[in-house]
Amino acid sequence: MLSPASRSPRILLLVPLLLLLLLFSAASAWKKDEFRNCKQTPFCKRARGRKPHSVPSLSVADVSISDGTVAARLLPSQPLRQATAVDDPESDTVPPRPLLLRISVYQGGVLRLHIDEDTSAPRRRFQVPDALLPDLDDRRLWLSRLSSPASGSSSFYLADGFEAVLVHDPFEIQVRRKGLREPVVSLNSHGLFDFEQLRDKKNDGEDWEEQFRGHTDTRPHGPQSISFDVSFHGADFVYGIPEHASTSLALRPTSGPGIEYSEPYRLFNLDVFEYLHDSPFGLYGSIPFMLSHGARSSSGFFWVNAAEMQIDVLAPGWDDPAAPANGRIDTLWMSEAGVVDAFFFVGPKPKDVLRQYTGITGTPAMPQKFAVAYHQCRWNYRDEEDVASVDAGFDEHDIPYDVLWLDIEHTDGKRYFTWDRLLFPNPKEMQGKLAAKGRHMVTIVDPHIKRDDSFYLHKEATGRGYYVKDATGKDFDGWCWPGSSSYPDMLNPEIREWWAEKFSFQNYAGSTPSLYIWNDMNEPSVFNGPEISMPRDAIHYGDVEHRELHNAYGYYFHMATSNGLLKRGNGKDRPFVLSRAFFAGSQRYGAVWTGDNTADWDHLRASVPMILTLGLTGMTFSGADVGGFFGNPEPELLVRWYQLGAYYPFFRAHAHQDTRRREPWLFGEHSTALIREAVHVRYSLLPYYYTLFREASVSGIPVMRPLWLEFPADKETYNSGEAFMVGPSLLVQGIYEERQKSVSVYLPDGQSWYNLRNGVSYTGGVSHKLEVSEDSIPTFQRAGTIIPRKDRFRRSSTQMVNDPYTLVVALNGSFAAEGELYVDDGKSYDFEQGAYIHRRFIFADRKLTSVNVHPANLGGKFSSDCVIERIVLLGLPSGAKKAVIEPGNHEADVELGPLTLRGGSSPDAITVRKPNVRIADDWTLRIL
Ligand code: NOJ
């Protein structure tokens, strides 16, 4: 809070400056003390301090089936409020109130558990609205029968081969394979379930407020946390629950034997300057979804809860050091508020778990084609002249790019939806010039609105009462980039509608159809708030406390912005909105990035597990700032970052305003050439990436994948976070060390792999020690796959639209291969009516066939005259002379040709020259 003295006008003017200064000095290193740890967080400290089965147990009573779901009451044996009993035996206790339990089952192997207070509670607890798919209820299975496998439990059908068991006393849920005793996933097997019930305030004391670094948050409803244990049986590793920075893809244990001290994984959306590259500390987004994988099965658990969450992964032996469990991973989930609304996914394969999870929260939106290409960003491109010169620089240096970004300085005093009239006097013309080359622009729109009475947005929001309120009921006023700011209450659908309207071309003056949006600081970031965020006792629509909804604020902001772009284009133009904060389901609204990383090798390394984790939890359209946000990368690091970033699903370079300029041509000709090559690799693979985005949007399987997603039986891959797959066909190994001379790469599977650069084949199932070259990072195409490429280079992806394709056919031991190509207009939603081309290419018996996989019943048409101009055949025994193409019986030459059409000395491969078959047609090409 500001002292009264600080409200004098002169000092008021100084405050923003001081705050900014403070902020930048804070930016010099991660300030651990600014953020709470578990011991400073009462619910976390309490839950973590409990021993297995020490919590008063609950028993299940009155089990019945009602409306096709299982209903029961959970009866506490003592008052459930542990805090009172433990912390202050003198304070009031509440008589036990039963909890209401409901279990429903959904198609495809999904169980939902819901536990809430009964109607006698003093108020309704918060349940996150609009996070799950609206049609979820249509996929609910109607349960009609309960059976009792043993006395004291009820069981019911879950999916083919799976059942759920509700154990009555003490209460436990088990999801298991029919006929087997050992569950797949279970909840409360260790008796740690605890549910702090709401109370009316009767006395003062620490239950009713909490303090941190001079901030006091009231707790008008007392402590209301929930915690429980979840066990993943048959699991070797667990993954997921972003966002944390880590060099490990598998979640390392945070508690138990062998762990000296670790914080639990924290899920609390925060704006963290200079985050550490390896820490369980919570970053900008939260997805409370964990997956497990092991040789025997994969499963998943998801808790729809937007309050602060802390999750421990418990090391074997945590419960009984004398008998550490083998093949089971126990976890402890703790949340500050909300209800239990949790989903169990049975797998059994890892891709099944992802389908089950995205079946609940939605698959990623299909991006526009341009958004899959390369983005150039910097805080800030200064003015229109700067924009023009950067744009020209790309052309001059023959580096394609698709999007130029403008950060906060382009606005009039950080009033979003406005332009600094001196620096950007002609925004439409500027966008028009980019658009003429097929390029786009992105501007930033943050949620903090400048409290300036002459600013129309502030006037409207104030007048309509659209801001989040502080605990006293006044508009919440916090500090952010513009100084004193307020935050629209995005929980309210009416306010989201209002916000969405602001993106119309009429309302957003200076915007044009080639302009898209970046949402930043939406955790929300509040410079003078507790932990640089909003106080937990701020009040939202429906009297919801900020503490209940915190992790979803950014999600609603992203949703409203994305819907704004949708409306702007009359529902015909796919939105592109990048958001920093996210929650489960954000994949339906756009892309995310991993925030303010640092230009060092460790951050380069951590980017891969971070992006893989996002992909596993639905957010496939994600990337890290190429080059590192803070600091100045040495040319070698920058080049390596481009080489790796070219494979991120979202490929954008970005830098802090205090860094030196780093457009790709500023590091000498040699580095420019290497970066050009890296960007070219991405552009040539755009048809493959776009096809993968289509797959993700249909099935939830991410574009960038951990190796074990493709090779679930190969144990060597379970904890690999250095190498990754792009789709089913490419394996990429980053180079994460300076002047690295060699690298060991494990290539899974029994099949061979072809080096993307020189076509050399390597045996699968073993590690290879490879020499590292500066030209590229090791990348391999899996034998048995076909990758579509476009090898000619233009200024932007838009300009490549009519270019011919190359197919790279990598044959396996049986001389066979398969791959897919998906093409649509790259922009509209016509694909939903079937306006697309979707082919499967199958090579077998020296014959390549293009098969239509477009469902016949979908009417819409998309036409393309694009042809395939080259077919590269890897692994074909020599001796091929020509190719004969049907229909038409025409011939094409088979000869040695370059592996890629890019400059340099790529070696030759067997190539079918100019078959010129159309991608839209059925055809067969026989190699003679
Ligand atoms: C913080 C974001 O993470 C960063 O990318 C951006 O440049 C600054 N805010 C300024 O808008």
Side-chain angles (χ1 to χ4, degrees), residues 379 407-408 444 481 518 520-521 580 593 596 629 654:
W379 176 16
D407 208 323
I408 48 177
I444 197 164
W481 299 128
W518 174 15
D520 188 19
M521 315 293 275
R580 192 169 71 176
W593 91 109
D596 299 345
F629 179 69
H654 182 41

Side-chain angles (χ1 to χ4, degrees), residues 262-428:
S262 166
E263 286 293 308
Y265 292 100
R266 187 177 191 203
L267 292 182
F268 194 62
N269 295 2
L270 287 176
D271 178 2
V272 187
F273 272 76
E274 294 221 332
Y275 62 77
L276 302 179
H277 72 275
D278 216 344
S279 161
F281 189 81
L283 299 179
Y284 314 91
S286 298
I287 302 182
F289 167 46
M290 189 182 278
L291 319 77
S292 81
H293 182 59
R296 283 185 287 150
S297 67
S298 317
S299 61
F301 179 80
F302 166 46
W303 185 5
V304 195
N305 185 310
E308 175 177 0
M309 205 180 278
Q310 300 265 6
I311 302 168
D312 263 321
V313 174
L314 304 162
W318 70 279
D319 49 340
D320 181 0
N326 219 338
R328 190 187 80 219
I329 296 182
D330 300 321
T331 56
L332 173 63
W333 297 62
M334 309 162 257
S335 171
E336 189 188 357
V339 297
V340 178
D341 189 6
F343 290 81
F344 300 71
F345 307 113
V346 302
K349 290 262 181 287
K351 286 187 182 172
D352 298 326
V353 180
L354 301 194
R355 270 190 285 267
Q356 286 150 2
Y357 171 72
T358 51
I360 301 297
T361 58
T363 53
M366 185 67 197
Q368 293 211 23
K369 177 92 126 311
F370 81 82
V372 178
Y374 172 63
H375 302 247
Q376 181 68 32
C377 187
R378 161 163 198 94
W379 176 16
N380 217 93
Y381 286 121
R382 280 185 314 268
D383 51 23
E384 287 175 3
E385 210 179 306
D386 198 8
V387 167
S389 98
V390 171
D391 180 63
F394 277 92
D395 296 340
E396 222 167 278
H397 296 93
D398 197 17
I399 302 174
Y401 90 99
D402 269 65
V403 194
L404 201 122
W405 292 53
L406 294 181
D407 208 323
I408 48 177
E409 315 298 335
H410 82 277
T411 59
D412 172 14
K414 318 293 183 309
R415 293 170 188 85
Y416 303 105
F417 303 103
T418 68
W419 303 83
D420 182 314
R421 286 286 159 196
L422 284 177
L423 304 175
F424 295 92
N426 302 302
K428 285 192 175 174

Side-chain angles (χ1 to χ4, degrees), residues 46-47 49-58 77-82 170 188 190-195 227-229 332:
R46 283 199 298 277
R50 293 181 194 125
K51 299 267 172 299
H53 303 287
S54 67
V55 182
S57 67
L58 289 157
S77 58
Q78 289 178 33
L80 277 169
R81 271 211 66 263
Q82 286 302 290
N188 204 30
H190 292 87
L192 288 170
F193 187 94
D194 188 59
F195 195 117
S227 50
F228 48 76
D229 53 282
L332 173 63

